[in-house]
Amino acid sequence: MNILYIAYSCDPYFGSENKIGWNIPLEASKKHRVFVLTKEEHRQNIQRYCTKNNIDNIKFYYADIKGIYKKIFRPPFYSGRLNIWHKKALPLAKKICSENGIDIIHQIAPIEFRSVGKYYTIPKTKFVCGPLAGGQSVPKGLMSYTGKDRPLERIRNLINRFYKLKLRFSKSLEKCDAVLYANYETKAFLGGKGAVIPETALTSKELSPLPERDDNKGKCTFLVVSRFTATKGYNLLFDTLKQLPDNLNYELKIIGYGQLETQVKAMFKSNEKVYKRTTFLERLPFSKMSEQYQSADALIFPTFREATGSVILEAMANGLPVITMNRCGGPVLCSPENAYLFSGGPKFTYINSLRFALLHCINNLDEVHEKGRKARAAAEGFTFEKRVEKYTDIYEDLIKQ
């Protein structure tokens, strides 16, 4: 099968969407003839990596846009930059398809529903788009936690509604041969048909051996791995920790970075009961993270607006159950058998739900570790190898049609 991947983000040396844009084509190239169309900024890293690792079975193409667009279209207007890039990339994609007999075009990164390229206009090919995200929003009961970013969240919601109407009138999603969604919120927001498949996945190297954990050690160690931004849920976590009894034996380790680092640290320091149990660790390279995951008992991921959450899979790969909301990536990657999914309505109900989950973990370490073992087993189903197998089934069904 001849496959063209549209991956604006595709860099072998970085994570997040770059990790997706790189590893999906890399895995697919083991069984298929693969081509990748990405942005010019990745050329140097891709060529260096391919030379170093003798990768010669993927053909890369690069498209670029003027620097002024990169300066103007910054978050929350990043979609404008992507859509301009797609217009520039479309003629090149047509040429690639014509010269190489492409069977499938798959736009895999970025995953914003606001930036679907018009690759469905290319004849004699099938176009797969997604998994799409971006339709998720901050729950009404937690909007006060966004602080100074609240106006930006409102702007984001307005932009989402605008693009939803634009997609409806242009019927762009209907013109795609297959549309995939990264979370249930985006699928519901767009009212589309298609499978919900998480966009993130694991490399085989990330599946660590399951560590031995002591059910009788007494202290429960929670780990938080997340950027310091308004939607990552640090305020929610702090308000919850303040309500825990002082006689509980637990500790909290936080690994993060970001624009709100000073504010988050000051907030935790403002409460002696919470701060004495909290340790802020410096930002660590990915190679050092497995040690931190394996020294903890559970991961707390309190974010309330996320496409999926790659750290959820990273924790599961290291045998940790995840305490997270029953929305976005939570119900897509986890289940009640291997995680603690909490929910709510008004703000106090989210606090109470998270508080109950934390108390339960602290008092039931044996159950926490058992869920961790089940999480590790579940993680094996979320590798890039498994993801490409799923995509290949979709491709083959489309070609048969």
Side-chain angles (χ1 to χ4, degrees), residues 201-221:
L202 297 163
T203 64
S204 57
K205 294 180 180 179
E206 292 177 270
L207 289 169
S208 302
L210 188 65
E212 290 292 331
R213 291 188 168 95
D214 183 5
D215 294 346
N216 301 309
K217 69 172 186 172
K219 179 184 288 187
C220 182
T221 301

Side-chain angles (χ1 to χ4, degrees), residues 201-204 207 313 379-388:
L202 297 163
T203 64
S204 57
L207 289 169
L313 278 185
E380 295 185 7
F382 292 104
T383 62
F384 281 105
E385 180 181 5
K386 296 290 187 182
R387 188 61 39 78
V388 169

